Amino acid sequence: MDRLDNTVRPYAWGSTTAIPALLGTEPTGEPQAEMWMGAHPGAPSRTGRGTLADLVAADPEKELGAASVARFGPHLPFLLKLLAAGAPLSLQVHPDLAQAQQGYADEERRGVPLDAPHRNYKDANHKPELICALTEFDGLCGFRAPTETADLLDGLGVASLKPYVDLLRAHPEDAALREVLTAVLAADPEEMSRTVAETAAACERLGGVYAPYAGIAHHYPGDPGVLAALLLNHVRLQPGEALYLGAGIPHAYLNGLGVEIMANSDNVLRCGLTPKHVDVPELLRIVRFEPGDPGVLRPEASPDGEEVYDTPTDEFRLSRYVLPEGTTGHDLTLAAPQILLCTAGSVRAGEHDLTPGRSVFVPAGEKAEVSGNGTLFRATVRV
């Protein structure tokens, strides 16, 4: 197995302290948003044998196993991250596989450069993802029932919200949600900025269930995404709880530290809370206008101590081991590639000592025994 040396991405929304605190290093004062573990070409993990991307490219079947290559191709199908949000991320959705393939082919045909700011599809893959909280973790996930949102908006006492309240009380629910989101994103920017300012002031004054949205407005004053955010469920995860984000589900992470895993893709359609491009027609094609409970996941324990976060996605499988003191020689060998990440305590994986934030890559079929006292996340594929 190979110890991983991983890149930390300094996105503006990142916490300045959470990842350094986990790693036991001094903060630099700059945001440290995401630590990437995997073979993504944007920031592949480094090993003593070269980058993980180079290792996989040189011998896919040796590193990934024949079953993974047959199922997903000669690439590591997932990307594992530590994600530390100190401010809200953009409100976004991800396409399903067919939509991604169609959108990518269309932009390629039209000659839209891959690095163009208005490009939607960086690749032809979907991007389901899972976030598991290491600390209390706040996010938005999926549409709230429209009538509940109508009551929430009505309670703010902002006159310019009345048209949205009336639309949300109409039927059917999916059409009501579509009409409101379309109206918010297509509104006159000056009028919308005033409405958002009044809404933010009311959220700040009332607090309680409105407090998360007041915080969002503080970071993105005048952004129509503030009103789009009010359509969504607010979720507060406790450590060990998780959220699964499938295709078309609008979401945003607000604050906290977590382990994130996703299919290896960069495809994002933004709804707001960002200075980046918002392609409204394409967004409306991708969003699933289905209200519902966000569905907080808790791990399911197996007899060998593995706690699995079950999802319908094959490109990744995330689980956790909480190793009690005195654990020796616990066998994690798989006929599939895996990344092991320590998040608490001290764990020995093969010949490598792992402390919080440290990780290893285990090629398919490679012997993987762990010992020690700590928490270990395992990222692999379902084949």
Side-chain angles (χ1 to χ4, degrees), residues 156 195-206 214 217:
L156 290 167
T195 297
V196 170
E198 292 177 27
T199 300
C203 287
E204 183 76 35
R205 183 179 69 254
L206 293 169

Side-chain angles (χ1 to χ4, degrees), residues 1 340 347-353 360 367-371:
M1 66 180 71
L340 304 178
V347 177
R348 187 166 179 81
E351 61 183 20
H352 302 288
D353 291 317
V360 293
K367 186 70 172 176
E369 285 192 347
V370 297
S371 305

Side-chain angles (χ1 to χ4, degrees), residues 7-334:
T7 297
V8 176
R9 311 309 292 261
Y11 305 136
W13 48 262
S15 166
T16 59
T17 58
I19 288 178
L22 184 74
L23 295 174
T25 59
E26 285 296 316
T28 64
E30 298 298 315
Q32 297 188 38
E34 295 180 348
M35 176 185 285
W36 287 22
M37 290 159 278
H40 191 285
S45 299
R46 298 169 295 278
T47 79
R49 300 187 287 150
T51 72
L52 190 52
D54 290 341
L55 299 187
V56 171
D59 196 341
E61 288 208 0
K62 177 178 181 295
E63 304 296 336
L64 307 177
S68 181
V69 172
R71 177 76 173 81
F72 305 110
H75 312 285
L76 187 66
F78 63 84
L79 176 63
L80 184 67
K81 299 179 180 179
L82 281 172
L83 184 145
L89 283 67
S90 61
L91 192 60
Q92 59 191 257
V93 297
H94 306 302
D96 64 25
L97 187 57
Q99 291 165 337
Q101 291 171 339
Q102 179 184 348
Y104 180 78
D106 176 63
E107 290 185 323
E108 287 289 281
R109 187 168 51 249
R110 291 190 285 117
V112 181
L114 268 176
D115 59 353
H118 61 286
R119 174 110 187 193
N120 293 316
Y121 297 95
K122 309 295 186 184
D123 52 68
N125 201 12
H126 62 165
K127 193 187 176 187
E129 60 189 42
L130 176 79
I131 184 78
C132 178
L134 295 179
T135 65
E136 266 198 347
F137 194 97
D138 282 277
L140 305 175
C141 179
F143 289 108
R144 190 187 300 105
T147 53
E148 292 178 19
T149 299
D151 292 342
L152 193 74
L153 297 185
D154 210 16
L156 290 167
V158 175
S160 54
L161 294 178
K162 182 65 164 59
Y164 305 128
V165 171
D166 292 341
L167 283 172
L168 287 165
R169 288 184 173 144
H171 290 283
E173 289 186 326
D174 58 344
L177 290 167
R178 178 182 288 274
E179 285 192 49
V180 171
L181 185 61
T182 302
V184 165
L185 297 178
D188 176 79
E190 287 190 13
E191 290 182 12
M192 176 53 62
S193 184
R194 287 193 292 271
T195 297
V196 170
E198 292 177 27
T199 300
C203 287
E204 183 76 35
R205 183 179 69 254
L206 293 169
V209 295
Y210 297 105
Y213 305 99
I216 292 168
H218 171 75
H219 287 283
Y220 297 98
D223 192 308
V226 173
L227 295 192
L230 277 158
L231 301 174
L232 306 185
N233 298 293
H234 171 248
V235 184
R236 174 164 291 169
L237 300 177
Q238 298 303 313
E241 295 180 335
L243 282 176
Y244 173 72
L245 292 313
I249 304 299
H251 62 278
Y253 302 143
L254 305 181
N255 187 70
L257 176 67
V259 174
E260 185 182 37
I261 190 169
M262 62 189 62
N264 210 4
S265 171
D266 277 337
N267 288 326
V268 175
L269 280 297
R270 295 177 177 85
C271 315
L273 309 182
T274 179
K276 294 182 180 180
H277 177 61
V278 177
D279 184 336
V280 176
E282 187 65 8
L283 172 71
L284 295 174
R285 187 176 80 88
I286 299 302
V287 172
R288 290 170 52 190
F289 291 96
E290 300 172 3
D293 185 275
V296 173
L297 290 177
R298 295 172 182 84
E300 300 175 8
S302 63
D304 72 345
E306 185 180 28
E307 300 175 337
V308 180
Y309 294 90
D310 192 32
T311 76
T313 297
D314 290 337
E315 283 89 342
F316 62 75
R317 178 182 182 274
L318 186 71
S319 61
R320 180 181 70 170
Y321 289 88
V322 180
L323 303 175
E325 189 170 357
T327 299
T328 58
H330 194 84
D331 189 9
L332 301 186
T333 305
L334 285 178

